[in-house]
Amino acid sequence: MYVITGATGNTGKIVAESLLAIGEKVRVIGRSAERLQPLVAKGAEACVADVKDEAALAKVFTGVTAVYAMNPPNMKAEDVRSSQLAVGRALAGAIGKAGVKHVVFLSSVGAQNAEGCGPVSGLHAVEEILNAIAGANVLSLRPASSGEGDVPGHK
């Protein structure tokens, strides 16, 4: 069983659909049961949970082979870095409590920098939190942006 956080988002949806297409058991996490339904129709097990709720995540993560973890951007948060750290700590705590051995974390190019990259530097801190989980093999993906839609006027 694989757990996919952010399963209705751009990357989580692709990961979930790819695993389902090859017959893997997949548990998808999202904020809305309704938005998870297309994945349920393809065979996924849906779990509505907040990625800041460590106890709920620990239950969802128990007994799974691997977790695809992401930190949904909350640019409207009063303190973006604090929001990122809260998600990172909840994910790490839940992964550790559940004894998950394999984690793929969606980070970003630039996350190698602890400072100076705005919200991306917050992902650096989350990577460090995840890397400190005893017994977990964590792979952080640092894709670059496609650019499309990220910069006004850029296509």
Side-chain angles (χ1 to χ4, degrees):
M1 170 78 68
Y2 296 90
V3 173
I4 312 301
T5 66
T8 61
N10 293 329
T11 63
K13 180 180 175 184
I14 292 169
V15 172
E17 288 177 340
S18 296
L19 288 167
L20 289 166
I22 60 170
E24 296 292 345
K25 291 182 180 182
V26 176
R27 186 176 293 155
V28 292
I29 300 175
R31 292 175 284 198
S32 162
E34 183 179 327
R35 290 193 61 208
L36 292 170
Q37 285 311 303
L39 293 168
V40 170
K42 293 179 181 183
E45 175 187 326
C47 293
V48 176
D50 182 336
V51 291
K52 289 183 182 176
D53 186 342
E54 182 179 325
L57 292 176
K59 289 179 186 175
V60 174
F61 294 170
T62 298
V64 304
T65 301
V67 171
Y68 175 78
M70 53 99 51
N71 197 323
N74 183 1
M75 303 315 257
K76 294 180 181 179
E78 189 172 314
D79 183 340
V80 173
R81 178 70 61 97
S82 291
S83 178
Q84 288 175 309
L85 293 175
V87 171
R89 288 184 188 114
L91 287 167
I95 289 164
K97 286 179 183 171
V100 177
K101 299 295 180 204
H102 303 282
V103 179
V104 174
F105 176 62
L106 178 63
S107 188
S108 175
V109 67
Q112 68 274 11
N113 300 303
E115 297 295 331
C117 290
V120 171
S121 293
L123 294 174
H124 172 88
V126 174
E127 284 184 19
E128 288 186 333
I129 291 167
L130 294 173
N131 288 337
I133 303 168
N137 296 306
V138 179
L139 172 66
S140 292
L141 303 177
R142 293 183 180 163
S145 170
S146 67
E148 191 167 323
D150 293 339
V151 179
H154 183 271
K155 294 184 183 188

